[in-house]
Amino acid sequence: MKKRIAVLTGAGVSAESGLGTYRDNGGLWDNYDPMVVASAEGWARDPGLVLDFYNMQRAKLRDVRPNEAHRLIASLEKDYTVDVITQNVDNLHERAGSTHVVHLHGEATKIRPENTCNDADGYSEKYVVDVGYEAVRLGDKAPNGAQYRPHIVFFGEAVPKIERAADLVGQADIVLIVGTSLQVYPAAGLYRYARMEAPVYLIDPADVKLYDSRVHHIRKVATEGMKEFVGMLK
Ligand code: OAD
């Protein structure tokens, strides 16, 4: 049976594709207030602004390509059972060929009626619609009459896939973390579900606070770090 690798990724894995990160200097949250454009309160106050922000994020995806780090992560599937658990809302892991991707914070290319995927319907994704790179406007309504909203986990909302993700990390023989500042919970705590005997690797050029002494930090950008990681597996 193949060994299992859980790969936890953040914005840093897509940085070399040309997508900005959130918290680095000049990052997205330097230019936009997440509480206005990416929170439950922001949606309640000004949904048009939130739709515009995600229209912009979605449109950017048309112009970017997966990079070597996404491709190397996908190529691990030749020898391992790989679960990619990403905080990213882009589609670059899938486009690079990864076949098991859990999007903890949702997907920019998808929308859903604003009154679904909540506690009341058991977080069912059956109303989720793939819009590709198209813009969504105020007044674009679902068959059930509700306004469409981005299929994104806003700040202030539950993270429905966190338990599934924790299970996958707990089953892994190797845990790899790539390009995340580990500042947003509950995603930031996932690596702690790694089994005692599972080695944990981190690829990030910056210092990232990890409360686990077994973490092996590869202090490189994602593309270079992934080459080193793949070399170490041989
Ligand atoms: P951050 O912007 O917080 O962190 C990006 C990380 O990527 C930092 O640790 C950088 O050092 C690292 N980095 C930058 N360039 C890199 C490169 N070329 N190769 C590898 N690493 C690089 O992004 P996240 O941790 O992903 O949530 O942010 C987590 C969540 O906060 C996002 O999913 C988003 C945001 O608010 C929602 O929108 C719900």
Side-chain angles (χ1 to χ4, degrees), residues 10-12 21-24 29 87 105 153 155 179-181 184 204-206 222:
T21 62
Y22 295 94
R23 293 177 186 76
D24 288 306
W29 295 157
Q87 296 171 75
H105 294 160
V153 174
F155 283 101
T180 168
S181 63
V184 176
D204 198 298

Side-chain angles (χ1 to χ4, degrees), residues 21-34:
T21 62
Y22 295 94
R23 293 177 186 76
D24 288 306
N25 268 341
L28 209 49
W29 295 157
D30 270 357
N31 298 308
Y32 296 90
D33 180 349

Side-chain angles (χ1 to χ4, degrees), residues 31-226:
N31 298 308
Y32 296 90
D33 180 349
M35 289 307 139
V36 173
V37 297
S39 76
E41 291 153 65
W43 175 256
R45 211 179 306 125
D46 193 344
L49 205 66
V50 176
L51 287 171
D52 282 347
F53 175 75
Y54 280 102
N55 286 341
M56 189 180 71
Q57 300 307 105
R58 197 177 298 125
K60 274 189 207 167
L61 298 184
R62 196 198 300 265
D63 303 324
V64 297
R65 301 276 169 273
N67 65 50
E68 190 63 12
H70 298 106
R71 283 192 288 273
L72 286 171
I73 290 168
S75 73
L76 294 173
E77 292 188 17
K78 285 200 294 275
D79 300 310
Y80 296 87
T81 298
V82 182
D83 291 298
V84 177
I85 299 155
T86 187
Q87 296 171 75
N88 298 344
V89 299
D90 67 49
N91 54 6
L92 296 178
H93 283 301
E94 288 90 342
R95 285 164 62 191
S98 283
T99 57
H100 296 118
V101 185
V102 175
H103 282 275
L104 285 172
H105 294 160
E107 293 171 77
T109 52
K110 295 183 180 172
I111 58 173
R112 66 174 193 258
E114 65 175 341
N115 59 353
T116 60
C117 205
N118 51 26
D119 218 17
D121 74 357
Y123 294 98
S124 164
E125 294 203 5
K126 68 181 169 197
Y127 301 105
V128 173
V129 177
D130 192 331
V131 283
Y133 305 120
E134 295 306 313
V136 182
R137 308 276 174 217
L138 221 47
D140 287 348
K141 296 197 171 155
N144 73 356
Q147 171 67 43
Y148 273 123
R149 60 161 275 177
H151 184 47
I152 296 287
V153 174
F154 293 144
F155 283 101
E157 294 184 326
V159 180
K161 295 192 173 156
I162 198 72
E163 283 176 28
R164 167 98 186 107
D167 280 351
L168 293 171
V169 174
Q171 288 169 32
D173 299 293
I174 301 171
V175 175
L176 170 65
I177 308 167
V178 188
T180 168
S181 63
L182 293 179
Q183 288 190 39
V184 176
Y185 283 84
L190 275 176
Y191 72 91
R192 289 164 164 259
Y193 288 86
R195 295 204 310 247
M196 285 305 287
E197 59 276 23
V200 180
Y201 296 88
L202 163 71
I203 298 172
D204 198 298
D207 283 331
V208 177
K209 277 211 175 64
L210 275 170
Y211 306 95
D212 192 325
S213 55
R214 71 191 141 149
V215 175
H216 178 86
H217 189 171
I218 302 173
R219 211 175 284 274
K220 291 186 172 169
V221 294
T223 52
E224 294 305 314
M226 274 308 298

